[in-house]
Amino acid sequence: MLNLKKRLSGLILTIALAAALCVPAAAAQNSTQNFTRSKTYAGEFSDVAPGTTFYDNAAALYEYGLSVGKSDGTFGLKDSVTVGQIVIFSGRIHSLYATGDAESGAAGFRKEGQAAYEPYLAYLQTAGVLGTEMDGLYTAPATRAQVAHVLAATLPASALPLVNDSLVTTAYASRQYITDVTEYTDYYDDILTLYKAGLSVGSDARGTFAPNDRITRGAATAMLTRMVDPALRLTPAWTVTTGPAASENYSAAGTSWADLITGDTTYSAAPTTKGQIAADIAYMLSRESNVLELDYGGAVTSQYVDNVMNTALNAVKTYCEQMYNSVECTYQSSIGKVTLTFSAVATGANLPSYRDYTLSAAIAVHDKLWSEGTITANMTQMEKARAYYKWICDNCVYDTGAKDDSISHIAYALFRNGRAVCDGYSGAYNLLLKLEGIECYALSNSDHIWTVATLDGKSYHIDTTWGDASNGVDYSYFAMTADQSWKHHSW
């Protein structure tokens, strides 16, 4: 028995020693050393495979222990993200940095009946990362600006060095890049921090951020993983010059029609609201297509399809620079399949070549105004919009003889013939503004159409058609408030 006890004692001692050797070292406090990939991604998300956009980012988010995806086994790269969900990710990253555990920070704030984001929010507020500035917004889809605000404060400066500080500061100050962000933009300092830290370089060669657009899980994931993995951070491929040579960097050459589409491009196969149909139209245009395929998965009435068709046509007209102003519809009522094909009156098979000509002509105008100094890097968006307003009025006359089927209803007519009606004027003007990175859309009533643009953070109505007066340019129709515009043409 004594020998047995000794053997048992020795066995117990050996096991205890082995267990002690397996205990990991205590996590560092407030250290980027805590950002380690503790798991290996092996296809846990059914919609994230090699080659998928944001594959590396979604896989990294899993490997860092920051996400296990959705309950259905997908990640949902194209889904919208709520403010509350961004708060959850921020709380996990801050906790991982501070304690070595992504959940320990929020653990002390959990209570029965809470919304998922609430313990993370309480943790971040206690840590001084967030205040109450987003109260009431946590269940709403997050904008890119709101995401920037949350992420910019998640880690201290020592953990998120501003590796692109000088480049971004110069590019932004000279208005050569990130032109859709101004001091009037919500959280603009935080947006610039994302660029300076390498978390974002924007969505195009000009560094466009689209601050008011909803963000997808994929785009948010890219920013999140760049926070914890310096190897994923980006440096803008920008060349910044000052003085007269700065205009050389502003060529819009190579811009495509798809590049002009911003905002929500989430595709819904069975849209039921105006917002969903509008997003479907943006989705279609972002792929440079004129065909929208819908599938309601069951019987639909002709009246219902007619309503969808008219709503879609109204949505596409807000992009009048794209020159689609008519639609044909085919559908199978018994199974709910609907096909909408958009075109323009009086163009027939020529519309693709007209669109090519129009975009090339607009780019040429844009580059000419820059090269001759009419548009300069230090101008505000208001000043640039005014310069394009004058160009439109100086280079077009109203086509008083135009019929409903006239080519004067599209921007092509203005650039090709110097003659158009209101939708041609507005389409050409909106195209020039969008080449400049200025957000705008067309607003219309039963017999007129004009522009609504965001200039230096504020919304204005601009009517180039009525501004083209017989005795020169009438600037009273430029940069109107909504109330001023209403007095001229209600909507």
Side-chain angles (χ1 to χ4, degrees):
M1 290 295 292
L2 288 174
N3 289 337
L4 180 60
K5 285 184 179 180
K6 287 180 180 179
R7 288 196 295 273
L8 287 173
S9 298
L11 179 60
I12 292 171
L13 177 61
T14 302
I15 292 173
L17 179 59
L21 292 173
C22 292
V23 174
Q29 299 296 302
N30 298 321
S31 174
T32 56
Q33 294 178 9
N34 295 330
F35 295 145
T36 59
R37 301 196 184 210
S38 58
K39 297 188 286 186
T40 300
Y41 180 74
E44 281 74 10
F45 308 136
S46 61
D47 58 342
V48 179
T52 304
T53 303
F54 300 122
Y55 169 82
D56 290 339
N57 303 105
L61 206 67
Y62 173 83
E63 292 180 347
Y64 279 104
L66 296 171
S67 177
V68 294
K70 302 172 70 174
S71 59
D72 62 359
T74 66
F75 187 81
L77 288 168
K78 296 181 180 180
D79 294 349
S80 295
V81 181
T82 66
V83 173
Q85 289 167 340
I86 290 298
V87 167
I88 291 173
F89 283 120
S90 173
R92 288 173 179 167
I93 291 175
H94 186 83
S95 179
L96 185 59
Y97 168 79
T99 71
D101 186 291
E103 297 296 339
S104 65
F109 297 90
R110 296 192 187 281
K111 299 177 182 178
E112 187 175 351
Q114 285 178 308
Y117 68 85
E118 289 187 280
Y120 299 92
L121 175 62
Y123 168 60
L124 292 173
Q125 289 176 332
T126 301
V129 174
L130 288 178
T132 59
E133 65 273 20
M134 291 190 171
D135 283 2
L137 302 174
Y138 300 110
T139 60
T143 66
R144 291 171 61 84
Q146 290 168 336
V147 170
H149 176 60
V150 175
L151 298 192
T154 297
L155 295 174
S158 60
L160 201 63
L162 304 184
V163 293
N164 303 321
D165 193 358
S166 178
L167 173 61
V168 172
T169 298
T170 304
Y172 176 74
S174 65
R175 305 308 296 143
Q176 294 179 52
Y177 298 93
I178 327 179
T179 56
D180 62 340
V181 176
T182 73
E183 63 270 28
Y184 301 103
T185 303
D186 288 343
Y187 307 124
Y188 85 98
D189 277 332
D190 299 320
I191 294 170
L192 295 183
T193 294
L194 264 56
Y195 285 82
K196 293 176 181 179
L199 305 188
S200 176
V201 292
S203 60
D204 57 27
R206 286 189 176 170
T208 300
F209 188 72
N212 298 318
D213 288 0
R214 294 181 179 182
I215 195 167
T216 64
R217 283 173 61 90
T221 296
M223 296 181 188
L224 290 164
T225 50
R226 290 167 193 154
M227 295 185 73
V228 297
D229 189 344
L232 296 176
R233 293 174 193 166
L234 307 171
T235 297
W238 298 342
T239 301
V240 182
T241 58
T242 58
S247 63
E248 297 174 6
N249 291 324
Y250 264 85
S251 175
T255 303
S256 69
W257 286 108
D259 292 334
L260 305 178
I261 303 301
T262 59
D264 186 2
T265 58
T266 304
Y267 172 70
S268 299
T272 57
T273 67
K274 287 184 179 180
Q276 289 174 330
I277 292 175
D280 275 359
I281 292 297
Y283 169 86
M284 176 190 77
L285 296 175
S286 71
R287 283 152 179 76
E288 297 201 19
S289 174
N290 67 323
V291 178
L292 182 61
E293 300 279 359
L294 305 177
D295 186 354
Y296 285 90
V300 291
T301 65
S302 59
Q303 182 178 3
Y304 187 86
V305 172
D306 187 62
N307 182 62
V308 170
M309 180 175 66
N310 288 329
T311 303
L313 181 59
N314 287 333
V316 85
K317 285 183 176 180
T318 65
Y319 300 91
C320 63
E321 72 280 354
Q322 297 271 342
M323 301 195 300
Y324 296 118
N325 57 24
S326 65
V327 61
E328 292 184 359
C329 177
T330 59
Y331 64 100
Q332 296 173 269
S333 60
S334 60
I335 58 176
K337 289 187 178 294
V338 179
T339 301
L340 302 176
T341 304
F342 297 88
S343 59
V345 295
T347 60
N350 293 319
L351 182 57
S353 64
Y354 287 176
R355 278 167 50 85
D356 289 344
Y357 177 91
T358 301
L359 184 55
S360 296
I363 290 172
V365 170
H366 171 279
D367 290 1
K368 179 176 183 294
L369 294 187
W370 272 97
S371 65
E372 67 187 20
T374 301
I375 304 288
T376 62
N378 61 356
M379 292 173 67
T380 65
Q381 289 183 322
M382 175 74 78
E383 291 168 335
K384 293 175 183 178
R386 183 182 174 95
Y388 286 116
Y389 180 89
K390 183 178 188 302
W391 187 90
I392 291 286
C393 294
D394 286 345
N395 288 274
C396 190
V397 295
Y398 190 84
D399 187 358
T400 56
K403 306 296 184 182
D404 288 344
D405 60 353
S406 172
I407 203 171
S408 291
H409 289 280
I410 59 176
Y412 169 82
L414 186 146
F415 289 109
R416 183 73 178 184
N417 306 322
R419 184 180 297 274
V421 292
C422 57
D423 30 12
Y425 272 85
S426 298
Y429 185 61
N430 287 12
L431 179 52
L432 291 170
L433 292 187
K434 289 189 174 183
L435 286 174
E436 198 60 58
I438 294 174
E439 296 181 12
C440 63
Y441 63 92
L443 183 62
S444 61
N445 56 26
S446 60
D447 56 12
H448 192 51
I449 190 168
W450 61 98
T451 298
V452 179
T454 301
L455 306 177
D456 305 311
K458 296 183 179 181
S459 179
Y460 297 96
H461 290 233
I462 303 171
D463 192 336
T464 50
T465 310
W466 289 9
D468 185 13
S470 58
N471 58 347
V473 181
D474 186 345
Y475 288 101
S476 64
Y477 297 105
F478 174 76
M480 297 178 286
T481 65
D483 288 341
Q484 290 170 334
S485 180
W486 183 272
K487 292 177 181 178
H488 297 299
H489 32 48
S490 58
W491 58 92

